[in-house]
């Protein structure tokens, strides 16, 4: 008994090989998307240029050595940014000292040592989600944990409490940047190290980490660049807006009250006097210069370590 022969279904060569849209239509859609992207870029650049020109026109005449070396004052013509600028530097240095070793260590552990378990996956998902949490949430968390619960250590609204809050804010970014940098290193280098009898720590510390260091440093400095401009978490933990002294260069300096440039700028902008708005524009210029210096440092470090490779 033979099987019935199936009737061949005619296949139209037109339906198989011709796309649903003609080539001309697809090129037209590409062109429309290109024009839309170009318009979006131009609009963004124009708005940014207008804002920068307005800030520079208002703030440049106010910038002077006296402005940089004077304390804040109720009189706008005598007000300066010495204590906010020094507070920002203290805050950034302390934040980097806390966030860099913790973030890089966590990234190395999760990427190179942790087993692929359900708990690890849950931690990875939470870290990825924490990177998108609004900064005010970190401020409220820092207020409760670092200012109130850990008051015997931080002495309340101090540089240490502010740095711990900002470190918490940028920690997910550093962890993600570390993992991405480690993941970019070819796996063949790890296998070669294991084949020569090296331990996992020897492979990571002597082969993988030096190659991934440029990406890690770049991610860390860019994360710190975000921290320097954050105002909401510092307001939430109660950073002061007027300080007429500088923190001492000692361990007690970490436990002293502080202010920072974003806080000072926010304070000046919220005042009705036009002279304070001019001071705010000058403070914004100083803050942008600090940001540009940090980004330039990131580029120099990346290029230096890439050449070393």
């Amino acid at each position: 008994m033979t099987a019935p022969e199936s009737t061949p279904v005619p296949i139209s060569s037109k339906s198989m090989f011709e796309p649903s849209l003609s080539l001309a239509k697809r090129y037209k859609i590409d062109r429309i998307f290109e024009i839309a992207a170009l318009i979006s870029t131009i609009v963004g650049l124009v708005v940014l240029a207008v804002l920068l020109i307005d800030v520079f026109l208002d703030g440049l005449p106010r910038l002077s050595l006296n402005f940089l070396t004077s304390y804040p004052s109720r009189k706008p013509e005598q007000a300066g940014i010495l204590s906010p600028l020094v507070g920002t530097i203290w805050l950034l240095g302390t934040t980097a000292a806390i966030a860099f070793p913790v973030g890089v260590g966590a990234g190395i552990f999760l990427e190179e040592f942790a087993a692929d378990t359900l708990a690890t996956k849950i931690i990875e998902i939470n870290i990825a989600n924490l990177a998108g949490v609004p900064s005010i949430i970190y401020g409220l968390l820092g207020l409760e944990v670092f200012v109130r619960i850990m008051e015997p250590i931080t002495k309340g609204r101090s540089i240490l409490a502010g740095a711990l809050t900002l470190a918490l804010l940028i920690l997910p970014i550093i962890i993600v940047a570390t993992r991405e940098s480690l993941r970019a290193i070819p796996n063949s280098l790890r296998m070669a190290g294991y084949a020569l009898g090296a331990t996992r720590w020897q492979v990571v510390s002597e082969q993988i980490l030096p190659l991934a260091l440029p990406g890690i440093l770049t991610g860390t400095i860019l994360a710190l660049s975000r921290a320097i401009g954050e105002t909401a978490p510092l307001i939430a933990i109660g950073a002061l807006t007027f300080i007429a002294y500088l923190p001492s260069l000692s361990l007690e300096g970490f436990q002293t009250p502080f202010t920072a440039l974003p806080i000072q700028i926010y304070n000046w902008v919220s005042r009705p006097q036009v002279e304070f708005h001019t001071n705010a524009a000058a403070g914004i210029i100083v803050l942008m210069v600090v940001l540009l210096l940090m980004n330039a440092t990131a580029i120099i470090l990346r290029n230096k370590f890439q050449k070393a490779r």
Side-chain angles (χ1 to χ4, degrees), residues 180-215:
E180 292 296 330
S181 301
L182 293 172
R183 202 172 294 167
I185 306 301
N187 201 38
S188 57
L189 291 177
R190 296 176 178 83
M191 296 298 107
Y194 297 144
L196 293 173
T199 63
R200 182 172 293 188
W201 170 244
Q202 287 174 327
V203 170
V204 171
S205 62
E206 297 178 12
Q207 287 185 297
I208 306 303
L209 192 57
L211 296 176
L213 200 55

PDB file of all heavy atoms in Angstrom, residues 180-215:
ATOM      1  N   GLU A 180      30.951  45.207  33.264  1.00  0.00           N
ATOM      2  CA  GLU A 180      31.038  45.350  31.810  1.00  0.00           C
ATOM      3  C   GLU A 180      32.492  45.367  31.346  1.00  0.00           C
ATOM      4  O   GLU A 180      32.834  44.788  30.303  1.00  0.00           O
ATOM      5  CB  GLU A 180      30.330  46.630  31.366  1.00  0.00           C
ATOM      6  CG  GLU A 180      28.819  46.600  31.551  1.00  0.00           C
ATOM      7  CD  GLU A 180      28.153  45.541  30.699  1.00  0.00           C
ATOM      8  OE1 GLU A 180      28.682  45.244  29.619  1.00  0.00           O
ATOM      9  OE2 GLU A 180      27.115  44.995  31.117  1.00  0.00           O
ATOM     10  N   SER A 181      33.355  46.030  32.116  1.00  0.00           N
ATOM     11  CA  SER A 181      34.779  46.082  31.742  1.00  0.00           C
ATOM     12  C   SER A 181      35.417  44.692  31.849  1.00  0.00           C
ATOM     13  O   SER A 181      36.224  44.311  30.986  1.00  0.00           O
ATOM     14  CB  SER A 181      35.510  47.065  32.657  1.00  0.00           C
ATOM     15  OG  SER A 181      34.953  48.352  32.552  1.00  0.00           O
ATOM     16  N   LEU A 182      35.078  43.940  32.885  1.00  0.00           N
ATOM     17  CA  LEU A 182      35.626  42.584  33.028  1.00  0.00           C
ATOM     18  C   LEU A 182      35.089  41.662  31.935  1.00  0.00           C
ATOM     19  O   LEU A 182      35.816  40.798  31.417  1.00  0.00           O
ATOM     20  CB  LEU A 182      35.269  42.020  34.406  1.00  0.00           C
ATOM     21  CG  LEU A 182      35.926  42.708  35.606  1.00  0.00           C
ATOM     22  CD1 LEU A 182      35.341  42.185  36.910  1.00  0.00           C
ATOM     23  CD2 LEU A 182      37.436  42.479  35.601  1.00  0.00           C
ATOM     24  N   ARG A 183      33.823  41.859  31.581  1.00  0.00           N
ATOM     25  CA  ARG A 183      33.202  40.999  30.576  1.00  0.00           C
ATOM     26  C   ARG A 183      33.797  41.239  29.194  1.00  0.00           C
ATOM     27  O   ARG A 183      33.755  40.346  28.328  1.00  0.00           O
ATOM     28  CB  ARG A 183      31.692  41.264  30.553  1.00  0.00           C
ATOM     29  CG  ARG A 183      30.870  40.133  29.987  1.00  0.00           C
ATOM     30  CD  ARG A 183      29.409  40.416  30.202  1.00  0.00           C
ATOM     31  NE  ARG A 183      29.063  40.406  31.625  1.00  0.00           N
ATOM     32  CZ  ARG A 183      27.925  40.863  32.122  1.00  0.00           C
ATOM     33  NH1 ARG A 183      27.029  41.359  31.328  1.00  0.00           N
ATOM     34  NH2 ARG A 183      27.686  40.814  33.412  1.00  0.00           N
ATOM     35  N   ALA A 184      34.343  42.437  28.983  1.00  0.00           N
ATOM     36  CA  ALA A 184      34.922  42.755  27.673  1.00  0.00           C
ATOM     37  C   ALA A 184      36.275  42.083  27.448  1.00  0.00           C
ATOM     38  O   ALA A 184      36.760  42.046  26.315  1.00  0.00           O
ATOM     39  CB  ALA A 184      35.075  44.271  27.542  1.00  0.00           C
ATOM     40  N   ILE A 185      36.895  41.561  28.500  1.00  0.00           N
ATOM     41  CA  ILE A 185      38.188  40.884  28.347  1.00  0.00           C
ATOM     42  C   ILE A 185      37.955  39.488  27.777  1.00  0.00           C
ATOM     43  O   ILE A 185      37.108  38.744  28.276  1.00  0.00           O
ATOM     44  CB  ILE A 185      38.917  40.789  29.710  1.00  0.00           C
ATOM     45  CG1 ILE A 185      39.026  42.170  30.353  1.00  0.00           C
ATOM     46  CG2 ILE A 185      40.293  40.168  29.527  1.00  0.00           C
ATOM     47  CD1 ILE A 185      39.766  43.195  29.525  1.00  0.00           C
ATOM     48  N   PRO A 186      38.682  39.080  26.737  1.00  0.00           N
ATOM     49  CA  PRO A 186      38.456  37.750  26.132  1.00  0.00           C
ATOM     50  C   PRO A 186      38.644  36.613  27.134  1.00  0.00           C
ATOM     51  O   PRO A 186      39.567  36.631  27.955  1.00  0.00           O
ATOM     52  CB  PRO A 186      39.527  37.693  25.034  1.00  0.00           C
ATOM     53  CG  PRO A 186      39.854  39.105  24.733  1.00  0.00           C
ATOM     54  CD  PRO A 186      39.697  39.861  26.016  1.00  0.00           C
ATOM     55  N   ASN A 187      37.747  35.650  27.061  1.00  0.00           N
ATOM     56  CA  ASN A 187      37.789  34.530  27.997  1.00  0.00           C
ATOM     57  C   ASN A 187      39.011  33.640  27.783  1.00  0.00           C
ATOM     58  O   ASN A 187      39.407  32.881  28.671  1.00  0.00           O
ATOM     59  CB  ASN A 187      36.499  33.709  27.854  1.00  0.00           C
ATOM     60  CG  ASN A 187      36.222  32.881  29.078  1.00  0.00           C
ATOM     61  OD1 ASN A 187      36.460  33.336  30.202  1.00  0.00           O
ATOM     62  ND2 ASN A 187      35.730  31.670  28.876  1.00  0.00           N
ATOM     63  N   SER A 188      39.616  33.735  26.601  1.00  0.00           N
ATOM     64  CA  SER A 188      40.794  32.905  26.321  1.00  0.00           C
ATOM     65  C   SER A 188      41.952  33.235  27.267  1.00  0.00           C
ATOM     66  O   SER A 188      42.758  32.349  27.600  1.00  0.00           O
ATOM     67  CB  SER A 188      41.235  33.111  24.873  1.00  0.00           C
ATOM     68  OG  SER A 188      41.507  34.477  24.621  1.00  0.00           O
ATOM     69  N   LEU A 189      42.024  34.491  27.715  1.00  0.00           N
ATOM     70  CA  LEU A 189      43.080  34.857  28.671  1.00  0.00           C
ATOM     71  C   LEU A 189      42.897  34.139  30.003  1.00  0.00           C
ATOM     72  O   LEU A 189      43.863  33.719  30.639  1.00  0.00           O
ATOM     73  CB  LEU A 189      43.079  36.374  28.881  1.00  0.00           C
ATOM     74  CG  LEU A 189      43.526  37.222  27.687  1.00  0.00           C
ATOM     75  CD1 LEU A 189      43.398  38.696  28.003  1.00  0.00           C
ATOM     76  CD2 LEU A 189      44.963  36.881  27.309  1.00  0.00           C
ATOM     77  N   ARG A 190      41.647  33.998  30.415  1.00  0.00           N
ATOM     78  CA  ARG A 190      41.384  33.272  31.667  1.00  0.00           C
ATOM     79  C   ARG A 190      41.759  31.799  31.499  1.00  0.00           C
ATOM     80  O   ARG A 190      42.422  31.210  32.369  1.00  0.00           O
ATOM     81  CB  ARG A 190      39.908  33.392  32.034  1.00  0.00           C
ATOM     82  CG  ARG A 190      39.453  34.818  32.335  1.00  0.00           C
ATOM     83  CD  ARG A 190      37.939  34.849  32.591  1.00  0.00           C
ATOM     84  NE  ARG A 190      37.451  36.172  32.931  1.00  0.00           N
ATOM     85  CZ  ARG A 190      37.145  37.112  32.050  1.00  0.00           C
ATOM     86  NH1 ARG A 190      37.268  36.852  30.759  1.00  0.00           N
ATOM     87  NH2 ARG A 190      36.716  38.287  32.453  1.00  0.00           N
ATOM     88  N   MET A 191      41.361  31.217  30.408  1.00  0.00           N
ATOM     89  CA  MET A 191      41.652  29.807  30.173  1.00  0.00           C
ATOM     90  C   MET A 191      43.161  29.559  30.101  1.00  0.00           C
ATOM     91  O   MET A 191      43.666  28.540  30.602  1.00  0.00           O
ATOM     92  CB  MET A 191      40.987  29.355  28.862  1.00  0.00           C
ATOM     93  CG  MET A 191      39.476  29.410  28.873  1.00  0.00           C
ATOM     94  SD  MET A 191      38.739  28.325  30.112  1.00  0.00           S
ATOM     95  CE  MET A 191      38.175  29.518  31.317  1.00  0.00           C
ATOM     96  N   ALA A 192      43.881  30.503  29.489  1.00  0.00           N
ATOM     97  CA  ALA A 192      45.337  30.356  29.408  1.00  0.00           C
ATOM     98  C   ALA A 192      45.963  30.386  30.790  1.00  0.00           C
ATOM     99  O   ALA A 192      46.881  29.610  31.093  1.00  0.00           O
ATOM    100  CB  ALA A 192      45.917  31.485  28.538  1.00  0.00           C
ATOM    101  N   GLY A 193      45.465  31.259  31.651  1.00  0.00           N
ATOM    102  CA  GLY A 193      45.992  31.333  33.017  1.00  0.00           C
ATOM    103  C   GLY A 193      45.717  30.067  33.792  1.00  0.00           C
ATOM    104  O   GLY A 193      46.603  29.538  34.493  1.00  0.00           O
ATOM    105  N   TYR A 194      44.473  29.557  33.667  1.00  0.00           N
ATOM    106  CA  TYR A 194      44.156  28.304  34.363  1.00  0.00           C
ATOM    107  C   TYR A 194      45.006  27.139  33.829  1.00  0.00           C
ATOM    108  O   TYR A 194      45.412  26.246  34.585  1.00  0.00           O
ATOM    109  CB  TYR A 194      42.677  27.973  34.194  1.00  0.00           C
ATOM    110  CG  TYR A 194      41.751  29.003  34.810  1.00  0.00           C
ATOM    111  CD1 TYR A 194      40.540  29.346  34.210  1.00  0.00           C
ATOM    112  CD2 TYR A 194      42.097  29.651  35.998  1.00  0.00           C
ATOM    113  CE1 TYR A 194      39.702  30.291  34.763  1.00  0.00           C
ATOM    114  CE2 TYR A 194      41.262  30.610  36.565  1.00  0.00           C
ATOM    115  CZ  TYR A 194      40.075  30.922  35.935  1.00  0.00           C
ATOM    116  OH  TYR A 194      39.250  31.859  36.501  1.00  0.00           O
ATOM    117  N   ALA A 195      45.262  27.132  32.537  1.00  0.00           N
ATOM    118  CA  ALA A 195      46.063  26.060  31.940  1.00  0.00           C
ATOM    119  C   ALA A 195      47.492  26.061  32.467  1.00  0.00           C
ATOM    120  O   ALA A 195      48.148  25.001  32.532  1.00  0.00           O
ATOM    121  CB  ALA A 195      46.071  26.215  30.419  1.00  0.00           C
ATOM    122  N   LEU A 196      47.971  27.235  32.855  1.00  0.00           N
ATOM    123  CA  LEU A 196      49.334  27.323  33.408  1.00  0.00           C
ATOM    124  C   LEU A 196      49.372  27.047  34.906  1.00  0.00           C
ATOM    125  O   LEU A 196      50.436  27.138  35.527  1.00  0.00           O
ATOM    126  CB  LEU A 196      49.907  28.724  33.134  1.00  0.00           C
ATOM    127  CG  LEU A 196      50.174  29.037  31.658  1.00  0.00           C
ATOM    128  CD1 LEU A 196      50.575  30.493  31.492  1.00  0.00           C
ATOM    129  CD2 LEU A 196      51.263  28.123  31.102  1.00  0.00           C
ATOM    130  N   GLY A 197      48.218  26.750  35.488  1.00  0.00           N
ATOM    131  CA  GLY A 197      48.188  26.392  36.898  1.00  0.00           C
ATOM    132  C   GLY A 197      47.917  27.552  37.844  1.00  0.00           C
ATOM    133  O   GLY A 197      48.031  27.392  39.066  1.00  0.00           O
ATOM    134  N   ALA A 198      47.548  28.710  37.307  1.00  0.00           N
ATOM    135  CA  ALA A 198      47.272  29.854  38.175  1.00  0.00           C
ATOM    136  C   ALA A 198      45.917  29.680  38.857  1.00  0.00           C
ATOM    137  O   ALA A 198      45.005  29.047  38.317  1.00  0.00           O
ATOM    138  CB  ALA A 198      47.284  31.139  37.355  1.00  0.00           C
ATOM    139  N   THR A 199      45.807  30.249  40.052  1.00  0.00           N
ATOM    140  CA  THR A 199      44.520  30.228  40.740  1.00  0.00           C
ATOM    141  C   THR A 199      43.605  31.281  40.133  1.00  0.00           C
ATOM    142  O   THR A 199      44.032  32.130  39.353  1.00  0.00           O
ATOM    143  CB  THR A 199      44.713  30.510  42.238  1.00  0.00           C
ATOM    144  OG1 THR A 199      45.244  31.840  42.386  1.00  0.00           O
ATOM    145  CG2 THR A 199      45.664  29.514  42.862  1.00  0.00           C
ATOM    146  N   ARG A 200      42.331  31.224  40.520  1.00  0.00           N
ATOM    147  CA  ARG A 200      41.385  32.202  39.970  1.00  0.00           C
ATOM    148  C   ARG A 200      41.761  33.623  40.375  1.00  0.00           C
ATOM    149  O   ARG A 200      41.676  34.548  39.580  1.00  0.00           O
ATOM    150  CB  ARG A 200      39.969  31.856  40.452  1.00  0.00           C
ATOM    151  CG  ARG A 200      38.915  32.789  39.903  1.00  0.00           C
ATOM    152  CD  ARG A 200      37.528  32.324  40.226  1.00  0.00           C
ATOM    153  NE  ARG A 200      37.202  31.084  39.544  1.00  0.00           N
ATOM    154  CZ  ARG A 200      35.998  30.525  39.536  1.00  0.00           C
ATOM    155  NH1 ARG A 200      35.016  31.089  40.199  1.00  0.00           N
ATOM    156  NH2 ARG A 200      35.779  29.395  38.901  1.00  0.00           N
ATOM    157  N   TRP A 201      42.181  33.802  41.641  1.00  0.00           N
ATOM    158  CA  TRP A 201      42.573  35.136  42.088  1.00  0.00           C
ATOM    159  C   TRP A 201      43.801  35.642  41.331  1.00  0.00           C
ATOM    160  O   TRP A 201      43.888  36.820  40.982  1.00  0.00           O
ATOM    161  CB  TRP A 201      42.842  35.128  43.588  1.00  0.00           C
ATOM    162  CG  TRP A 201      43.482  36.401  44.070  1.00  0.00           C
ATOM    163  CD1 TRP A 201      44.699  36.552  44.615  1.00  0.00           C
ATOM    164  CD2 TRP A 201      42.912  37.719  43.997  1.00  0.00           C
ATOM    165  NE1 TRP A 201      44.957  37.859  44.896  1.00  0.00           N
ATOM    166  CE2 TRP A 201      43.880  38.598  44.533  1.00  0.00           C
ATOM    167  CE3 TRP A 201      41.703  38.229  43.527  1.00  0.00           C
ATOM    168  CZ2 TRP A 201      43.649  39.968  44.615  1.00  0.00           C
ATOM    169  CZ3 TRP A 201      41.483  39.592  43.611  1.00  0.00           C
ATOM    170  CH2 TRP A 201      42.443  40.438  44.150  1.00  0.00           C
ATOM    171  N   GLN A 202      44.767  34.745  41.063  1.00  0.00           N
ATOM    172  CA  GLN A 202      45.952  35.157  40.310  1.00  0.00           C
ATOM    173  C   GLN A 202      45.580  35.582  38.891  1.00  0.00           C
ATOM    174  O   GLN A 202      46.102  36.571  38.365  1.00  0.00           O
ATOM    175  CB  GLN A 202      46.966  34.018  40.273  1.00  0.00           C
ATOM    176  CG  GLN A 202      47.682  33.786  41.598  1.00  0.00           C
ATOM    177  CD  GLN A 202      48.581  32.562  41.562  1.00  0.00           C
ATOM    178  OE1 GLN A 202      48.278  31.584  40.884  1.00  0.00           O
ATOM    179  NE2 GLN A 202      49.680  32.617  42.305  1.00  0.00           N
ATOM    180  N   VAL A 203      44.672  34.844  38.267  1.00  0.00           N
ATOM    181  CA  VAL A 203      44.241  35.197  36.913  1.00  0.00           C
ATOM    182  C   VAL A 203      43.547  36.557  36.907  1.00  0.00           C
ATOM    183  O   VAL A 203      43.811  37.418  36.065  1.00  0.00           O
ATOM    184  CB  VAL A 203      43.303  34.096  36.354  1.00  0.00           C
ATOM    185  CG1 VAL A 203      42.655  34.566  35.058  1.00  0.00           C
ATOM    186  CG2 VAL A 203      44.077  32.813  36.127  1.00  0.00           C
ATOM    187  N   VAL A 204      42.658  36.761  37.901  1.00  0.00           N
ATOM    188  CA  VAL A 204      41.902  38.014  37.943  1.00  0.00           C
ATOM    189  C   VAL A 204      42.816  39.194  38.261  1.00  0.00           C
ATOM    190  O   VAL A 204      42.767  40.236  37.599  1.00  0.00           O
ATOM    191  CB  VAL A 204      40.765  37.907  38.985  1.00  0.00           C
ATOM    192  CG1 VAL A 204      40.106  39.264  39.192  1.00  0.00           C
ATOM    193  CG2 VAL A 204      39.734  36.892  38.520  1.00  0.00           C
ATOM    194  N   SER A 205      43.658  39.039  39.291  1.00  0.00           N
ATOM    195  CA  SER A 205      44.447  40.180  39.764  1.00  0.00           C
ATOM    196  C   SER A 205      45.617  40.517  38.839  1.00  0.00           C
ATOM    197  O   SER A 205      45.994  41.681  38.720  1.00  0.00           O
ATOM    198  CB  SER A 205      44.967  39.902  41.169  1.00  0.00           C
ATOM    199  OG  SER A 205      45.827  38.770  41.151  1.00  0.00           O
ATOM    200  N   GLU A 206      46.191  39.508  38.168  1.00  0.00           N
ATOM    201  CA  GLU A 206      47.394  39.770  37.377  1.00  0.00           C
ATOM    202  C   GLU A 206      47.138  39.843  35.878  1.00  0.00           C
ATOM    203  O   GLU A 206      47.960  40.389  35.141  1.00  0.00           O
ATOM    204  CB  GLU A 206      48.436  38.674  37.663  1.00  0.00           C
ATOM    205  CG  GLU A 206      48.890  38.666  39.124  1.00  0.00           C
ATOM    206  CD  GLU A 206      49.879  37.558  39.418  1.00  0.00           C
ATOM    207  OE1 GLU A 206      50.372  36.946  38.461  1.00  0.00           O
ATOM    208  OE2 GLU A 206      50.131  37.291  40.609  1.00  0.00           O
ATOM    209  N   GLN A 207      46.016  39.308  35.405  1.00  0.00           N
ATOM    210  CA  GLN A 207      45.758  39.334  33.967  1.00  0.00           C
ATOM    211  C   GLN A 207      44.515  40.132  33.602  1.00  0.00           C
ATOM    212  O   GLN A 207      44.559  40.976  32.715  1.00  0.00           O
ATOM    213  CB  GLN A 207      45.610  37.902  33.433  1.00  0.00           C
ATOM    214  CG  GLN A 207      46.927  37.135  33.368  1.00  0.00           C
ATOM    215  CD  GLN A 207      46.735  35.777  32.726  1.00  0.00           C
ATOM    216  OE1 GLN A 207      46.017  34.934  33.240  1.00  0.00           O
ATOM    217  NE2 GLN A 207      47.369  35.575  31.588  1.00  0.00           N
ATOM    218  N   ILE A 208      43.426  39.856  34.271  1.00  0.00           N
ATOM    219  CA  ILE A 208      42.148  40.424  33.847  1.00  0.00           C
ATOM    220  C   ILE A 208      41.979  41.856  34.347  1.00  0.00           C
ATOM    221  O   ILE A 208      41.648  42.766  33.576  1.00  0.00           O
ATOM    222  CB  ILE A 208      40.981  39.546  34.353  1.00  0.00           C
ATOM    223  CG1 ILE A 208      41.195  38.090  33.909  1.00  0.00           C
ATOM    224  CG2 ILE A 208      39.668  40.085  33.831  1.00  0.00           C
ATOM    225  CD1 ILE A 208      41.326  37.919  32.422  1.00  0.00           C
ATOM    226  N   LEU A 209      42.222  42.072  35.654  1.00  0.00           N
ATOM    227  CA  LEU A 209      41.963  43.392  36.231  1.00  0.00           C
ATOM    228  C   LEU A 209      42.814  44.510  35.616  1.00  0.00           C
ATOM    229  O   LEU A 209      42.277  45.593  35.334  1.00  0.00           O
ATOM    230  CB  LEU A 209      42.176  43.330  37.749  1.00  0.00           C
ATOM    231  CG  LEU A 209      41.680  44.541  38.540  1.00  0.00           C
ATOM    232  CD1 LEU A 209      40.198  44.776  38.273  1.00  0.00           C
ATOM    233  CD2 LEU A 209      41.915  44.345  40.034  1.00  0.00           C
ATOM    234  N   PRO A 210      44.113  44.294  35.384  1.00  0.00           N
ATOM    235  CA  PRO A 210      44.879  45.388  34.743  1.00  0.00           C
ATOM    236  C   PRO A 210      44.343  45.768  33.370  1.00  0.00           C
ATOM    237  O   PRO A 210      44.370  46.946  33.000  1.00  0.00           O
ATOM    238  CB  PRO A 210      46.295  44.800  34.642  1.00  0.00           C
ATOM    239  CG  PRO A 210      46.365  43.781  35.724  1.00  0.00           C
ATOM    240  CD  PRO A 210      44.997  43.192  35.804  1.00  0.00           C
ATOM    241  N   LEU A 211      43.836  44.796  32.618  1.00  0.00           N
ATOM    242  CA  LEU A 211      43.295  45.109  31.295  1.00  0.00           C
ATOM    243  C   LEU A 211      41.949  45.819  31.389  1.00  0.00           C
ATOM    244  O   LEU A 211      41.607  46.631  30.516  1.00  0.00           O
ATOM    245  CB  LEU A 211      43.147  43.816  30.483  1.00  0.00           C
ATOM    246  CG  LEU A 211      44.463  43.079  30.148  1.00  0.00           C
ATOM    247  CD1 LEU A 211      44.160  41.766  29.438  1.00  0.00           C
ATOM    248  CD2 LEU A 211      45.348  43.953  29.279  1.00  0.00           C
ATOM    249  N   ALA A 212      41.190  45.493  32.443  1.00  0.00           N
ATOM    250  CA  ALA A 212      39.867  46.111  32.596  1.00  0.00           C
ATOM    251  C   ALA A 212      39.921  47.441  33.328  1.00  0.00           C
ATOM    252  O   ALA A 212      38.903  48.147  33.399  1.00  0.00           O
ATOM    253  CB  ALA A 212      38.940  45.154  33.341  1.00  0.00           C
ATOM    254  N   LEU A 213      41.080  47.791  33.866  1.00  0.00           N
ATOM    255  CA  LEU A 213      41.177  48.993  34.707  1.00  0.00           C
ATOM    256  C   LEU A 213      40.787  50.289  33.990  1.00  0.00           C
ATOM    257  O   LEU A 213      40.124  51.147  34.596  1.00  0.00           O
ATOM    258  CB  LEU A 213      42.596  49.110  35.275  1.00  0.00           C
ATOM    259  CG  LEU A 213      42.742  49.993  36.521  1.00  0.00           C
ATOM    260  CD1 LEU A 213      41.802  49.543  37.616  1.00  0.00           C
ATOM    261  CD2 LEU A 213      44.184  49.972  37.013  1.00  0.00           C
ATOM    262  N   PRO A 214      41.155  50.509  32.710  1.00  0.00           N
ATOM    263  CA  PRO A 214      40.723  51.763  32.062  1.00  0.00           C
ATOM    264  C   PRO A 214      39.215  51.944  32.054  1.00  0.00           C
ATOM    265  O   PRO A 214      38.715  53.024  32.367  1.00  0.00           O
ATOM    266  CB  PRO A 214      41.289  51.619  30.646  1.00  0.00           C
ATOM    267  CG  PRO A 214      42.443  50.696  30.782  1.00  0.00           C
ATOM    268  CD  PRO A 214      42.062  49.730  31.852  1.00  0.00           C
ATOM    269  N   GLY A 215      38.481  50.899  31.719  1.00  0.00           N
ATOM    270  CA  GLY A 215      37.024  50.997  31.712  1.00  0.00           C
ATOM    271  C   GLY A 215      36.458  51.208  33.103  1.00  0.00           C
ATOM    272  O   GLY A 215      35.499  51.967  33.285  1.00  0.00           O
TER     273      GLY A 215
END
